[in-house]
Amino acid sequence: MAKTSIAIIGATGNMGSAIAKALAKGPYRLLLFASDKEKLEALKNNIIAATPSADLECTGCPVDASWEADVIIPAVPYGAEKEVVEKIKSVATQKIVISIANPLNESYNGLVTAPGTSAAEELQKLLPDSKVVKAFNTTYAADFAQPVINGQQVDAFVAGNDDEAVDMAKELVETAGFHPIVAGELTVSRTLEAMQLMLIQLTIKNNYNWLAGFKILHNHQ
């Protein structure tokens, strides 16, 4: 059976590199793209040193990476997503696209999306023929290296309208070391993005050092 291929666009950023390092431990083929080729090569060497079994390839073009991939992760800030999408739209048809972005304003005291929508829903509008799913937006980059905080495994929320895409995102969340929680349809992304805005505000206020996450405590019946 062919390996699932995952394109990470913006692989050398904080989140992109954290996701790449985590998913390299799984049974996937990673296609990494970033505009800085030296940084990308350094990331590749770093991953192979930590995970010699990693199956990954650096690519000089986001379109080539996305064309070959089953799953596309635009690991770029919300403001840069539109530009990435315009490049990959023609090759993203029927593919799973994971929205990790949080549409934060510059002062971290609000979201730039209009009420009644979310970054994930806006991405779905830009890619009407793709299966957009929200994941990894409530997990800091530092959490990937330490997905168990204070003895508790960090929860990571997944939201989407397509069952196949949601299942794939759940699998990736588990591979990365988090506990996946399917939160609902893509519209739930509005809540998830607002939750991360609050966590960022609390992190700044209480000096969590960008290592913090959500945990839902419940009674196991």
Side-chain angles (χ1 to χ4, degrees):
M1 196 173 150
K3 283 184 182 180
T4 298
S5 293
I6 302 168
I8 302 175
I9 311 297
T12 55
N14 279 351
M15 282 297 289
S17 58
I19 291 170
K21 286 171 189 173
L23 297 186
K25 296 169 190 160
Y28 313 114
R29 178 165 177 255
L30 300 187
L31 303 158
L32 308 181
F33 168 78
S35 47
D36 188 325
K37 290 193 173 62
E38 277 181 30
K39 269 191 182 174
L40 194 59
E41 200 59 37
L43 173 65
K44 180 185 176 180
N45 294 338
N46 189 312
I47 290 172
I48 288 169
T51 312
S53 61
D55 181 357
L56 70 152
E57 187 184 318
C58 294
T59 164
C61 173
V63 181
D64 289 349
S66 302
W67 181 76
E68 284 189 56
D70 304 298
V71 179
I72 303 166
I73 305 177
V76 297
Y78 177 64
E81 266 191 352
K82 205 167 185 177
E83 190 186 336
V84 169
V85 165
E86 281 167 5
K87 289 177 183 166
I88 67 167
K89 187 174 181 176
S90 62
V91 293
T93 301
Q94 291 308 308
K95 295 187 176 179
I96 296 167
V97 179
I98 296 183
S99 163
I100 73 165
N102 288 303
L104 308 165
N105 66 17
E106 284 180 17
S107 47
Y108 298 136
N109 64 359
L111 300 172
V112 297
T113 37
T117 189
S118 62
E121 290 167 276
E122 293 305 303
L123 188 60
Q124 183 67 83
K125 281 181 201 164
L126 293 170
L127 293 170
D129 300 318
S130 301
K131 302 164 187 174
V132 172
V133 60
K134 193 82 195 172
F136 296 128
N137 82 293
T138 58
T139 44
Y140 286 137
D143 296 339
F144 285 81
Q146 195 177 323
V148 175
I149 301 174
N150 248 0
Q152 296 277 2
Q153 186 185 23
V154 175
D155 288 338
F157 302 94
V158 176
N161 300 336
D162 181 275
D163 290 345
E164 181 200 357
V166 166
D167 286 346
M168 187 72 233
K170 259 182 78 181
E171 185 187 309
L172 298 183
V173 161
E174 283 184 305
T175 300
F178 300 104
H179 174 246
I181 293 180
V182 177
E185 295 190 342
L186 202 61
T187 51
V188 177
S189 303
R190 301 168 199 177
T191 302
L192 298 181
E193 291 166 17
M195 280 167 62
Q196 190 61 4
L197 171 65
M198 181 184 72
L199 186 61
I200 288 169
Q201 290 168 344
L202 290 172
T203 297
I204 294 166
K205 183 181 171 188
N206 299 316
N207 201 18
Y208 295 157
N209 295 320
W210 304 102
L211 185 67
F214 287 99
K215 185 72 197 169
I216 294 184
L217 303 173
H218 60 92
N219 221 346
H220 290 275
Q221 295 298 333

